[in-house]
Amino acid sequence: MDRIDAHILRELQDDGRLTNLELAQRVGLSASACMRRVRQLEQDGVIQGYRAVIDPDAVGRGFEVLVSIEVRRDRETVEAFEAALQDIPDVIEAYRLFGSPGCLLRIAVADLAAYERLWIERLTSLTGVTEVNSQIIMKRVKEPRGLPVPR
């Protein structure tokens, strides 16, 4: 990856809706050369997709919780737990961690009552779960803006 590819990545992270012509002008390439580079970055898996950033309140999911979960640490249990998370749409991010806690989830629901139902009906009943700790997000201080790309 050279500096032009890095520039393309920075621009697309800032605004994934740029037209190819606008992107080409910003990075100093012809439209066709820019398109070739973007397609190559996509084919190489550097660019993995494009998404809209949605206001959680607008879709009734303004109540966010970070949840640390301990799961029995045998392969079968961990695999079953991770597979079960895929079927819970309220879990918007999930990470397996080294050490304790074993798993960290980011959950987005409508309100405290919705989270309590999720906690009782789904989280605590997942295979292998031994402990669930919740931290309610008071305020998002820094929004995700993509990865820092070298200049």
Side-chain angles (χ1 to χ4, degrees), residues 20-38:
N20 183 60
L21 183 58
E22 291 169 324
L23 179 60
Q25 290 170 344
R26 290 184 185 190
V27 300
L29 292 175
S30 69
S32 60
C34 185
M35 181 59 73
R36 277 194 302 277
R37 283 182 178 255
V38 170

Side-chain angles (χ1 to χ4, degrees), residues 61-133:
R61 292 192 176 266
F63 190 85
E64 292 189 23
V65 185
L66 296 177
V67 180
S68 57
I69 295 185
E70 286 295 347
V71 178
R72 281 194 325 269
R73 296 189 188 225
D74 62 86
R75 183 178 184 161
E76 187 176 301
T77 301
V78 170
E79 287 175 354
F81 172 79
E82 289 178 359
L85 289 179
Q86 304 305 314
D87 296 328
I88 305 174
D90 302 316
V91 176
I92 57 175
E93 292 181 69
Y95 302 93
R96 186 187 327 161
L97 307 174
F98 286 106
S100 188
C103 187
L104 181 65
L105 310 179
R106 183 169 151 232
I107 293 175
V109 292
D111 54 26
L112 182 58
Y115 177 65
E116 182 180 14
R117 280 191 306 280
L118 176 69
W119 190 91
I120 290 169
E121 295 170 9
R122 302 291 300 270
L123 298 179
T124 58
S125 65
L126 290 171
T127 302
V129 170
T130 60
E131 187 175 340
V132 178
N133 292 299

